[in-house]
Amino acid sequence: MKKKDVVRVPGWLAGVSDDSQEIIFSSSIRLLRNVKDIPMPHIASREQLIGIKRKFEPVWERLKNEEFFQEWNVERMSAVDRGILYEKHCMPYFEEQEPRAVFVLANASFDTRVLLNYQEHVNMQAFAIGLNLEQLMDKMLALESELESCAEFAFNKRYGYLTSKARDAGTALQASVVLHLPTLTGMDKMAKIEASLAKANLSLDRLYRDEQKLALGNLYVLSNRPHMHDSEQDILDKVKNVALNLAKREKQMRRVVYSKSPLVVENYVWRAVGLLKSARLLSAAEMLAMLSYVGLGIDLGIVDKISWTSVKKLIVQVRNSHLLASYPDAELDQVRASIVRDLFKEV
């Protein structure tokens, strides 16, 4: 992977939008598809998996030439490069064993990617700043149409699009929204919210989690649970409406807590700033926790000398694989602390 690809932070990860930018970080649409009459990846031969890639070569060539897509053969990538694409949300985390003929195609802005032969023949996903599910859906359907001009996808009139896991069949669509919910988390509201969402066939997962499965940085991913009878529009509407509702609740809770206990909130925020300004060793988990409080401080007007864009960039720039690419022999916690201190020195 080229150096410029390593240091570049995708705009959809670091940017801000007009709709509750401090709460609704980003949204994504994922579509799963399999080619008709070819075994699913977990039982297909290596030759069949390579054949899947060949079927779509005309589309790949157009995307690479016209829209600046790059292609990676996961088998030939270093562990660091795999980690970088994982941290940019372009591919899943792979164990040490080599995958069989898995390919990733991602555009220059890393907001659209196609993953071939991992669980499904085709796993395509697009990302955007803020809440933009409808626009992303149009983008994915256009890409699906191009791919389907090269190969027929497995479809059943009763069950919809066929997938390696029965639960994903139907639309094989997942709509997701990343939410920053520090106040609802701090007020112990998440368990009740998650139980309520489960009844509506939605999930609220941790974007990053620690060993206790807590949400690092108070970042959550709201998404639909696969359900064969949900239409595409039903899924989009449900996820969008719940995301807006959660953002509204978080916003209201922030104002209420700050109005009732301003010193407590300011203490959390400035303690976080102080640690980030002075730490000599800083783990990724601790950094995420402190940046969450800083973000809360930015929203409430407590901190005004650093932007949300800078905070969001840090979340990607100083994760382990990105650091290893630039500082292969360094102590990562030490390098991370140095980079963060430099950014926060004027805060």
Side-chain angles (χ1 to χ4, degrees):
M1 187 174 294
K2 298 177 182 178
K3 177 73 172 180
K4 62 180 181 179
D5 297 326
V6 172
V7 298
R8 182 189 302 127
V9 177
W12 67 269
L13 273 173
V16 292
S17 63
D18 295 329
D19 52 336
S20 300
Q21 62 186 24
E22 71 287 345
I23 299 172
I24 300 177
F25 275 25
S26 63
S27 47
S28 70
I29 291 290
R30 186 195 71 183
L31 291 179
L32 305 177
R33 297 292 184 260
N34 287 287
V35 177
K36 184 178 179 181
D37 298 329
I38 295 181
M40 299 290 181
H42 65 286
I43 56 174
S45 68
R46 180 181 175 79
E47 290 70 25
Q48 287 172 319
L49 296 179
I50 293 174
I52 291 292
K53 177 178 180 295
R54 289 181 182 143
K55 281 182 177 291
F56 299 117
E57 284 294 349
V59 178
W60 303 154
E61 291 305 313
R62 188 195 67 76
L63 290 174
K64 286 189 284 187
N65 292 332
E66 297 179 16
E67 300 188 28
F68 308 106
F69 274 69
Q70 297 181 54
E71 180 183 308
W72 293 278
N73 182 339
V74 177
E75 288 181 310
R76 298 175 183 171
M77 294 178 69
S78 69
V80 171
D81 283 350
R82 288 187 194 180
I84 290 167
L85 287 185
Y86 169 70
E87 291 171 358
K88 292 184 188 296
H89 300 271
C90 287
M91 61 188 286
Y93 176 78
F94 287 106
E95 299 293 341
E96 287 302 314
Q97 60 267 29
E98 292 281 315
R100 298 183 308 143
V102 177
F103 302 90
V104 179
L105 193 76
N107 64 350
S109 57
F110 292 97
D111 62 11
T112 305
R113 66 105 170 110
V114 182
L115 182 63
L116 290 183
N117 300 331
Y118 176 76
Q119 297 184 348
E120 316 296 336
H121 292 149
V122 180
N123 179 326
M124 51 188 137
Q125 191 165 9
F127 306 87
I129 301 168
L131 193 57
N132 288 289
L133 294 175
E134 285 85 0
Q135 297 94 320
L136 289 174
M137 189 68 205
D138 291 342
K139 190 175 187 177
M140 285 291 89
L141 291 177
L143 179 56
E144 178 196 31
S145 179
E146 285 198 64
L147 294 174
E148 203 161 20
S149 68
C150 299
E152 183 180 356
F153 291 135
F155 184 85
N156 180 279
K157 290 183 179 180
R158 180 178 179 182
Y159 300 113
Y161 287 101
L162 303 181
T163 53
S164 61
K165 297 178 181 177
R167 69 184 187 190
D168 290 328
T171 61
L173 160 69
Q174 185 177 64
S176 303
V177 179
V178 175
L179 300 159
H180 179 228
L181 305 174
T183 316
L184 290 173
T185 301
M187 299 300 290
D188 294 325
K189 302 291 186 181
M190 299 311 298
K192 186 175 181 179
I193 290 173
E194 289 174 31
S196 175
L197 292 177
K199 295 177 182 178
N201 214 35
L202 297 169
S203 64
L204 197 62
D205 298 319
R206 285 83 176 128
L207 181 62
Y208 310 114
R209 62 178 66 193
D210 61 12
E211 294 178 355
Q212 286 74 44
K213 297 184 178 180
L214 298 176
L216 294 174
N218 300 306
L219 293 170
Y220 297 85
V221 183
L222 169 71
S223 57
N224 61 295
R225 289 179 173 174
H227 192 280
M228 199 173 295
H229 302 295
D230 286 344
S231 70
E232 292 173 348
Q233 194 58 53
D234 287 341
I235 292 170
L236 298 183
D237 290 342
K238 187 188 297 185
V239 173
K240 180 178 179 179
N241 290 336
V242 172
L244 289 172
N245 180 263
L246 285 173
K248 182 179 179 180
R249 290 177 64 180
E250 170 69 22
K251 190 88 169 177
Q252 291 174 340
M253 186 70 73
R254 292 181 184 188
R255 303 306 181 204
V256 169
V257 171
Y258 190 39
S259 65
K260 290 184 176 181
S261 306
L263 288 179
V264 172
V265 175
E266 290 173 5
N267 185 56
Y268 273 108
V269 172
W270 288 115
R271 278 177 176 267
V273 171
L275 187 147
L276 295 171
K277 289 181 69 169
S278 59
R280 264 46 187 176
L281 294 173
L282 188 63
S283 69
E286 189 174 26
M287 180 197 68
L288 283 170
M290 296 303 104
L291 289 179
S292 178
Y293 292 129
V294 173
L296 181 62
I298 294 172
D299 176 39
L300 295 172
I302 301 168
V303 178
D304 61 4
K305 292 185 178 179
I306 191 169
S307 68
W308 250 123
T309 298
S310 297
V311 170
K312 288 183 176 181
K313 281 184 177 179
L314 266 186
I315 294 174
V316 180
Q317 285 175 327
V318 296
R319 295 188 69 193
N320 286 352
S321 292
H322 280 71
L323 287 180
L324 281 170
S326 300
Y327 309 94
D329 301 317
E331 166 56 51
L332 295 186
D333 287 357
Q334 183 178 349
V335 173
R336 183 180 294 111
S338 177
I339 294 172
V340 172
R341 281 201 315 275
D342 187 60
L343 181 66
F344 274 81
K345 62 184 178 183
E346 301 298 332
V347 179

